[in-house]
Amino acid sequence: MTNEIVENQELISQSIRELSERLIRPNSRQWDEDQHFPADLFRQLGDQGLMGMLVPELYGGAGLGYRDYVTAIVELSRVDGAVGLSMAAHNSLCTNHILLFGNETQKQTYLPRLATGEWLGAWGLTEPNTGSDAANMRTTAVQDGDHWILNGAKNFITHGKSSDVAVVIARTGSPNTQHNATAFVVERGTPGFSGGRKEDKLGMRASETAEMLFEDCRIPDSQRLGDVGDGFVQSLKVLDGGRISIAALSLGIAIGAYEAALTYAKEREQFGQPIANFQGISFKLADMATDIEAAKLLTYQAADLKDSGKPVTKESAMAKLFASETAVRVANEAVQIFGGYGYTKDFPVEKFYRDAKLCTIGEGTSEIQKIVISRQILK
């Protein structure tokens, strides 16, 4: 890495750290308690260039790379994982799908609004009965002249109710066949497109997770992204980048939990000395710090490969797998270090503990990551 890259990352890190302390930390607990989605915050993040980090300046974005993007997610997530999650889903899923596979008209129409935070994006692949089994999805798109008619439901969708626009993958062929899905852009307000039930979640409660419902939703063919039948192939490429963002999210949560535990261990005294002096605590901190450093190296390696235009499927899956499991381990140990206080909402680690678990599930479970990795190494 050049000094210029390091300095740029440090500037991004410091800027977002200050923003997070000012806008997010004072509100984080209340947003979590109320399961309040702070839509206005993301417009402010858009003003700072964080809602279109990967979008070229031509389309109103920041024109940055994945290394800078990872740094931004980490800094947001070390304060509040829910904010990091929503920012990541907007950038790497909806916005990135249009950037990668939209035609020029679609890019000109949607990217400037998404990149500035004027519009919030959602991305719909998961369904109530088909999570990892996406080839068997039940949401269908049937062609009718120069239009398509969408019917079905998507669930566990970030910004499923509040998004202004969504990229939706629908089945356009027979179930369990190759090339049987197609991606579409659907704007909020389109007749037949609505938000459904909002999930009441264990963690990440300030990030909206809800259903998207389609009932005879009629959209013109101009809203189709790429060729008919390419939706699932496109989705796999989008998820390669998305897994890097979840690794970054996991890394930020782990760092936040570790920093809180480290500070507490230095301040909390038992038997006349800080508990950090006891081997049982110091060894926990050593393991946490080591796992975080390994997760950081895997995550930034995947980001560098992505920025270089090299294949990243294996490395992004490895980063996502290790970083997400690290977040769970570190948050668990942080609660243990805090003892009884760690189990209360007056201290931050119980929230990190709840937030961390999603990272091992969203955008492909840990088990799916192992399938992806094993297929790559056994080629």
Side-chain angles (χ1 to χ4, degrees), residues 70-211:
V70 162
T71 300
I73 297 173
V74 168
E75 288 299 335
L76 291 173
S77 304
R78 65 184 285 276
V79 174
D80 192 326
V83 175
L85 173 63
S86 274
M87 177 269 205
H90 171 92
N91 273 278
S92 67
L93 298 180
C94 177
T95 305
N96 199 39
H97 198 135
I98 295 171
L99 175 64
L100 290 175
F101 300 107
N103 58 38
E104 190 59 29
T105 299
Q106 292 165 339
K107 291 178 183 179
Q108 292 283 0
T109 300
Y110 295 110
L111 291 181
R113 292 171 173 174
L114 290 165
T116 57
E118 177 189 349
W119 277 16
L120 190 66
W123 191 74
L125 177 65
T126 302
E127 297 187 358
N129 295 300
T130 57
S132 301
D133 184 18
N136 197 30
M137 69 177 67
R138 297 183 182 180
T139 298
T140 60
V142 177
Q143 192 161 15
D144 181 24
D146 58 356
H147 283 73
W148 293 84
I149 301 174
L150 274 64
N151 280 286
K154 299 290 182 178
N155 75 333
F156 298 139
I157 306 303
T158 305
H159 314 143
K161 290 172 74 75
S162 296
S163 59
D164 298 283
V165 65
V167 172
V168 181
I169 294 84
R171 184 164 53 79
T172 49
S174 301
N176 291 315
T177 59
Q178 290 188 333
H179 305 290
N180 70 345
T182 304
F184 301 88
V185 183
V186 188
E187 294 182 21
R188 188 70 59 180
T190 302
F193 173 34
S194 62
R197 183 172 66 96
K198 181 177 177 178
E199 302 293 342
D200 188 5
K201 300 177 295 182
L202 169 71
M204 301 289 197
R205 290 172 60 81
S207 177
E208 180 187 274
T209 305
E211 293 176 313

Side-chain angles (χ1 to χ4, degrees), residues 199-340:
E199 302 293 342
D200 188 5
K201 300 177 295 182
L202 169 71
M204 301 289 197
R205 290 172 60 81
S207 177
E208 180 187 274
T209 305
E211 293 176 313
M212 293 195 303
L213 306 176
F214 301 91
E215 185 175 357
D216 293 330
C217 179
R218 188 178 181 86
I219 58 172
D221 187 58
S222 60
Q223 298 301 101
R224 173 170 47 85
L225 286 166
D227 293 334
V228 174
D230 279 356
F232 191 57
V233 173
Q234 293 174 9
S235 297
L236 292 177
K237 292 179 181 177
V238 169
L239 286 170
D240 273 351
R243 285 167 182 151
I244 298 172
S245 69
I246 300 300
L249 171 66
S250 306
L251 179 59
I253 291 171
I255 290 171
Y258 165 74
E259 289 176 343
L262 180 64
T263 300
Y264 182 81
K266 290 177 178 179
E267 295 174 349
R268 171 71 166 169
E269 290 194 359
Q270 292 284 272
F271 307 103
Q273 59 182 310
I275 63 172
N277 291 351
F278 297 108
Q279 190 177 83
I281 300 299
S282 65
F283 278 18
K284 287 182 185 295
L285 292 167
D287 286 339
M288 293 158 78
T290 301
D291 279 353
I292 286 170
E293 195 63 24
K296 184 183 299 183
L297 291 169
L298 281 169
T299 302
Y300 277 100
Q301 173 189 248
D304 287 340
L305 288 171
K306 186 73 173 172
D307 283 337
S308 301
K310 296 178 181 177
V312 74
T313 300
K314 179 184 72 175
E315 288 78 8
S316 65
M318 285 179 167
K320 198 268 190 190
L321 171 64
F322 188 81
S324 64
E325 296 291 346
T326 291
V328 172
R329 287 195 301 273
V330 168
N332 180 61
E333 291 288 45
V335 171
Q336 197 72 13
I337 288 170
F338 270 79

